[in-house]
Amino acid sequence: PTCVKADACQLRDLGRKLGVTEVRFKPTARTMPVDRSTVSLVRDPNKCILCGDCVRMCSEIQGVGAIDFAHRGARACVTPAFGKDLAAVECVLCGQCAAVCPTGAIAPRSETEEVWRALHDPRKTVVAQIAPAVRVALGECFGLEAGALSTGQIAAALRALGFRKVFDTCFAADLTVMEEVHEFLTRRKEGRRLPQFTSCCPAWVKFAEQYYPELLPNLSTCRSPQQMFGAMAKETLPAEYRVAREDLVVVSIMPCTAKKFEARRAEFARGETPDVDFVLTTQELARMIEEAGLRFRELEPESLDLPFGFKSGAGVIFGATGGVMEAALRLAAETLGGRKIESVDFHAVRGEAHLREATVTAGETTLKVAVVHGLAQARALAEKVKAGTCEYDFVEVMACPGGCVGGAGQPVSRDAAAARRRAKGLYDADRTLELHKAQDNPYVRACYERHLGHPGSARAHETLHTRYHSRRRIASEEVPLTPGAGEERLAVSVCVGTSCYLRGSQELLRRLVEHVE
């Protein structure tokens, strides 16, 4: 009854449908420790039913394989490599394993208690930022249709919970467009490190750090919208609210579990104070609203706060796969063409295909772009870029299928079309806004005039850009090949079963012996 997936547990649902009212078998498995090593996910092997959904998602869709089956018979389990914790292996913390786990054996790690403490601390001023994909998904937790826009109710709920100000990550997405397109056009003019990859998705960034460090110079140096917002908030709001920087608490409402990891990166902190203090998933915000006893559907809609609450449609569509690329093209096409564009829809980069390619003409310039979602597809594309068998100028990568609308922190849905309807909700919101291009956002222009100078300036680089670095895929342990006094020898055994033999077990042992010798 205390399980995080109690209201969406497929195992309990099947048990109810099949009339299972008691467990007839005595427990045979010993209690295993719960893995809380990461800031994004909690893995409880005691709830695992060995269905293999998480294994297939991690291996087949994401192409990572951070978890897999191990051992045999009654000892069979799903575990990271060598029995290590998730934090010690190549997991990119996308959380898609948690999204498909039917029993809560893997679930997003909750930060609601920490946020409640901050809200109840009179010394703290707590502000929130809402990601684009949250506004078309939160309503599902309260009986609304997937894709229903509930920005006004979210703002009202957050203020009722005690947040002083409610802002929009879409404002920072507009900032991202300005910086990322400036960086791209500068690279293209100078003829260096193309294609440029987007860097909005922290799971993709960690994936690139682990598997493709040679491509890191191709990643945009722009921070993600979440981190751009955190940097700007911590830079400007303390003086406005007359509080110390460490007493301003920035809480992100995100559809993504990897965003929790991103907020804890050392690159995104000044001293001991992070730019973003806490990250709540859409599911966590729904639980806080329920804990407070609010009737979400009956809340009167409220507006977001200025200046960081104003956005263009370009920032809104960031939540769908292809949205970042389309938002960037709305600025790039206008800049390269030398005139304002009337048609802002680039339908060629929209859709559900895992890889979409498009050629865009702006004035006398032709741009070849690609959009990919799902890390297995991103790996295939990265291999082509390494081999030089494809020529792109700009590439958008999202780790989660469908983009952020399909993030692991979104409400659990068994409807395969839910992500599609959420994406449609974002494009519908874009169409109803007065402004559709980031460069037309007056508050973004004011932000540059008062704080940043111009896109690509030294001040903008200091505040809105970062660097990424090569990252080991698995935490290793030193193994002495020549034992000294008192040291135990390392026993190496090989399975002689037919399956393992056919997969090269003895060849592996032979090569290991040769390497040691």
Side-chain angles (χ1 to χ4, degrees), residues 4-5 14 81 116 134 158 160 175 182 197 251 253 357 378 425 436 452 464:
V4 68
K5 273 206 169 172
L14 286 171
W116 278 123
V134 173
L158 288 170
L175 271 181
H182 178 273
F197 288 89
V251 178
I253 317 298
E357 300 172 312
H436 308 285
L452 301 173
L464 305 180

Side-chain angles (χ1 to χ4, degrees), residues 135-137 140 145-150 418 421-426 428:
R135 69 201 65 203
V136 289
E140 296 172 47
E145 287 290 323
L149 197 66
S150 56
R421 288 200 293 270
R422 294 168 188 167
K424 183 179 183 300
L426 294 179
D428 289 345

Side-chain angles (χ1 to χ4, degrees), residues 64 87 89-93 197-224 258 261-268 375 378-379 382 386 397 399 465-474:
V64 176
V89 297
E90 55 198 329
C91 175
V92 297
L93 305 173
F197 288 89
T198 59
S199 55
C200 297
C201 175
W204 151 245
V205 170
K206 190 171 186 287
F207 182 87
E209 288 179 324
Q210 292 178 171
Y211 293 101
Y212 296 98
E214 65 273 32
L215 293 182
L216 290 180
N218 290 73
L219 263 68
S220 169
T221 61
C222 291
R223 300 182 181 206
S224 71
F261 164 78
E262 181 185 53
R264 297 293 183 270
R265 289 184 68 124
E267 297 93 335
F268 301 136
L375 289 176
R379 182 192 291 275
K386 275 180 58 179
V397 182
H465 291 250
T466 188
R467 291 178 179 270
Y468 301 110
H469 56 83
S470 177
R471 186 185 296 271
R472 299 181 74 166
R473 293 199 296 272
I474 188 164

Side-chain angles (χ1 to χ4, degrees), residues 7 18 97 118 170 415 446 504:
D7 59 343
L18 297 174
C97 54
C170 297
D415 184 358

Side-chain angles (χ1 to χ4, degrees), residues 424-443:
K424 183 179 183 300
L426 294 179
Y427 286 113
D428 289 345
D430 169 37
R431 279 193 291 272
T432 59
L433 288 172
E434 292 77 10
L435 302 176
H436 308 285
K437 295 174 286 188
Q439 61 269 31
D440 293 339
N441 187 332
Y443 288 94

Side-chain angles (χ1 to χ4, degrees), residues 3 5-18 49 51 53 98-104 412-414:
C3 177
K5 273 206 169 172
D7 59 343
C9 179
Q10 286 179 278
L11 184 65
R12 286 178 53 176
D13 186 50
L14 286 171
R16 178 182 59 80
K17 290 177 179 177
L18 297 174
I49 58 172
C51 68
D53 286 357
V100 299
C101 177
T103 62
V412 176
S413 176
R414 306 299 170 203

Side-chain angles (χ1 to χ4, degrees), residues 72 491-497 500-510 512-513:
R72 297 185 178 188
V492 179
S493 58
V494 60
C495 172
V496 296
C500 293
Y501 175 80
L502 292 175
R503 295 183 183 191
S505 60
Q506 293 190 359
E507 173 65 13
L508 177 63
L509 181 62
R510 183 186 65 78
L512 175 63
V513 171

